Amino acid sequence: MTHKGRIVSAVALTTLALGLTACNDGEDAASAQDSPPASAPASSDPDSKSPSADPSDDAAAPAGGDVAAPGTKFKIGDRAILPFKYGTDKKGTVAVTVTAIEKGAEADMAAFGDKAKGMTPYYIRMKVENVGGTDLSYSSLRLRGKLEGGGPTGVILIGDLPGKCDSETAPRDFTTKGASYETCSLSATKTDPIAVASFEEGDAYSDSPVLWTS
């Protein structure tokens, strides 16, 4: 399933059709989802550590390898095993492989209106695998783009650009070990290039995300 369609403020969750609203902290927030989006997590310092972080707090016991600790850094193409929770009743362990961080064209952002001028989109392409074998059907997983060194982009985007970067939900049969699908997370910047993909889901990882770099 591919999401598309609207923009949302990450602070107030105010929805505008193909509009762009600024966050209270000066960041721009954009969304292109069919379903009501959740508030985007704040950017964090990748070098910060959570002393009590325990990946097992967020999902089922690891399977098929060791779960990546908060703050772990990978290279693009590496496979990271991560705890994953979606909604209130879906919990498990997934493996995420970032296959590419591709630069798009500023013109690709035209659907988001005038406030998107000067933004360059980046497409974080990944493969997601069900490692724990729990029912994670119809869930969705998002990675965030960071500048080289892990700094924030100043722009928060939630959703996709159909035909350019399609944010897919897990298929109905994403319920068994080895099941997999491919998806794309959209990010953008007005300044330096995006060179890092960041996993920030769950309390431990929001404080100290797992990162993929080139």
Side-chain angles (χ1 to χ4, degrees):
M1 181 185 297
T2 300
H3 299 298
K4 58 184 178 179
R6 62 174 181 267
I7 308 304
V8 66
S9 165
V11 174
L13 295 182
T14 301
T15 303
L16 298 174
L18 292 180
L20 188 66
T21 53
C23 295
N24 291 342
D25 60 2
E27 289 187 346
D28 290 323
S31 169
Q33 292 185 317
D34 286 328
S35 57
S39 177
S43 298
S44 59
D45 180 353
D47 294 327
S48 64
K49 303 291 182 181
S50 175
S52 60
D54 182 357
S56 64
D57 290 342
D58 293 317
D66 294 332
V67 163
T72 303
K73 295 180 180 179
F74 293 94
K75 294 293 186 181
I76 292 174
D78 288 346
R79 179 177 181 265
I81 298 177
L82 299 163
F84 180 65
K85 184 177 181 181
Y86 185 79
T88 59
D89 60 347
K90 292 185 183 292
K91 181 184 294 187
T93 308
V94 298
V96 178
T97 304
V98 175
T99 57
I101 300 177
E102 297 178 0
K103 181 180 178 181
E106 183 180 336
D108 295 344
M109 298 293 290
F112 293 124
D114 289 342
K115 287 188 177 181
K117 288 183 178 179
M119 291 185 185
T120 300
Y122 284 78
Y123 310 137
I124 302 172
R125 305 194 187 279
M126 75 194 89
K127 176 182 177 181
V128 183
E129 178 187 347
N130 190 332
V131 174
T134 56
D135 182 359
L136 297 174
S137 57
Y138 305 115
S139 63
S140 62
L141 184 149
R142 174 176 169 76
L143 301 181
R144 299 194 178 281
K146 301 285 187 181
L147 305 181
E148 187 174 2
T153 65
V155 177
I156 300 174
L157 294 172
I158 304 172
D160 59 8
L161 286 175
K164 300 287 186 178
C165 183
D166 295 303
S167 178
E168 304 288 350
T169 56
R172 181 176 60 183
D173 61 356
F174 197 63
T175 58
T176 58
K177 290 182 180 180
S180 66
Y181 70 101
E182 294 183 0
T183 185
C184 179
S185 288
L186 174 64
S187 194
T189 177
K190 288 183 175 180
T191 56
D192 297 331
I194 290 174
V196 180
S198 175
F199 175 84
E200 304 174 5
E201 299 193 17
D203 292 341
Y205 296 94
S206 64
D207 292 334
S208 189
V210 167
L211 304 177
W212 286 261
T213 61
S214 57

